[in-house]
Amino acid sequence: MTYMNRRTVLASAFATAAAGTPLVTGVGASAAHAAGEDDFYRSNTDLYTQLSGREGADFGRRYKRHQMLDSDLSGTSRFHRTTVMALHGGGIEIGTSELCLGIAGYDPEDLSVWTPDGGPVHDYWMFEGLLSAGNSKLHVTSKNCDDHVALSMAASSLNVLSLHGCKEEQAGAAMSVVVGGLNTAFKTYLHEALSSAGFNTIDGSTNDDLAGINRSNPCNLTMLNMGGQLEITTDLRQSLFGDYSSRAARAGSATSDADFVRFTGACRKAIARLEARADQQIL
């Protein structure tokens, strides 16, 4: 049996595009673009342009910014604290959308407030693949994300926690989560909280591909120029849902699954610990 790597497949796909055959539903004869990491699209803008009119069918975006108001000229308003992100949600890195919502404090099934720890809700932003198959072609490498809402939310937050999915062989271990980002304190809190909750954590600094240290990565485009990132292995993501088989099944089974509650609770604990630091109170 002959196996082809992803770059070979892409080369074949580009040749098909040049011949005038659509690569993805909604894409015409214009060729897609590699981004250096075997992506079809150079950026989110490139994807939105090539898939014009396909939002809600091929892909979707969901986000929530909680209102902040300062109408008192004599007072000082605190900066926004934390935004949770899933840059490759939906069918791209399956399970990250639901985890993003759960950590932000929302039930993935109906978006109602869900905070078992009694803590606050957080802002969130997600890009989601909605294709029935082949969602990997919608992947845009984090450092190439230029969605204006995502970038503005990161830039106006002190902290970002960005959620991703990886394969076990990429992480170097099964049932694991690779903790990365440039905020070393946040990384420590995530390691400790997730480990205490029974999850195997790996230091992202041991894996350049999963480290989340690129300064153009939205997790690090915060007001403090640093943030946190989790790369969660496929088998671990599958274990966090009572039913992993479909988008609706994952959303419907998430908050009733003990492992989902433990994982999201641990992340929320790390966020709360970070937000309680003295250096977060003066801003």
Side-chain angles (χ1 to χ4, degrees):
M1 182 179 293
T2 301
Y3 294 91
M4 293 189 294
N5 63 29
R6 193 175 177 203
R7 189 175 298 277
T8 301
V9 174
L10 279 170
S12 175
F14 293 149
T16 300
T21 303
L23 287 171
V24 185
T25 304
V27 180
S30 59
H33 306 280
E37 291 83 9
D38 291 342
D39 285 349
F40 278 93
Y41 303 101
R42 290 188 299 256
S43 63
N44 286 67
T45 295
D46 186 30
L47 183 150
Y48 301 156
T49 300
Q50 293 202 53
L51 295 181
S52 178
R54 299 302 300 173
E55 184 164 7
D58 291 358
F59 70 93
R61 289 173 284 182
R62 288 190 287 172
Y63 61 88
K64 184 165 187 176
R65 279 175 152 167
H66 297 87
Q67 184 180 26
M68 297 180 68
L69 176 65
D70 183 0
S71 58
D72 184 357
L73 292 175
S74 64
T76 300
S77 178
R78 294 177 67 194
F79 293 139
H80 177 69
R81 289 310 191 249
T82 303
T83 295
V84 187
M85 293 186 162
L87 274 63
H88 309 131
I92 305 173
E93 293 169 357
I94 298 173
T96 57
S97 291
E98 294 80 13
L99 289 167
C100 176
L101 288 168
I103 295 168
Y106 290 93
D107 188 329
E109 184 172 27
D110 58 11
L111 301 184
S112 60
V113 173
W114 179 72
T115 55
D117 56 11
V121 292
H122 302 292
D123 287 4
Y124 62 82
W125 184 92
M126 299 178 289
F127 174 87
E128 300 177 271
L130 303 180
L131 295 168
S132 58
N135 281 282
S136 62
K137 58 172 64 83
L138 300 174
H139 180 281
V140 174
T141 299
S142 297
K143 68 180 182 180
N144 295 329
C145 175
D146 63 352
D147 182 280
H148 70 284
V149 176
L151 296 185
S152 65
M153 291 179 72
S156 60
S157 301
L158 292 176
N159 316 303
V160 162
L161 177 60
S162 186
L163 306 172
H164 295 267
C166 66
K167 297 178 180 179
E168 295 81 73
E169 56 266 31
Q170 291 175 299
M175 297 293 287
S176 299
V177 53
V178 181
V179 182
L182 288 174
N183 190 326
T184 55
F186 198 9
K187 284 179 61 178
T188 296
Y189 300 158
L190 287 164
H191 273 295
E192 293 179 355
L194 287 164
S195 296
S196 295
F199 298 101
N200 184 53
T201 66
I202 299 171
D203 189 349
S205 63
T206 65
N207 189 322
D208 290 344
D209 292 334
L210 305 180
I213 57 174
N214 191 292
R215 293 192 177 276
S216 295
N217 185 325
C219 80
N220 297 317
L221 293 176
T222 66
M223 297 177 72
L224 300 176
N225 297 311
M226 58 184 179
Q229 176 177 289
L230 299 180
E231 292 271 3
I232 310 162
T233 59
T234 302
D235 55 355
L236 178 54
R237 281 178 282 128
Q238 291 173 339
S239 75
L240 299 178
F241 298 89
D243 189 341
Y244 188 75
S245 62
S246 68
R247 180 187 184 90
R250 290 190 300 275
S253 66
T255 59
S256 61
D257 188 282
D259 291 335
F260 182 92
V261 175
R262 283 193 302 116
F263 191 94
T264 55
C267 293
R268 287 177 59 81
K269 183 177 180 179
I271 291 171
R273 188 177 174 188
L274 181 67
E275 292 185 345
R277 287 171 57 100
D279 57 6
Q280 300 256 317
Q281 308 310 310
I282 62 173
L283 300 172

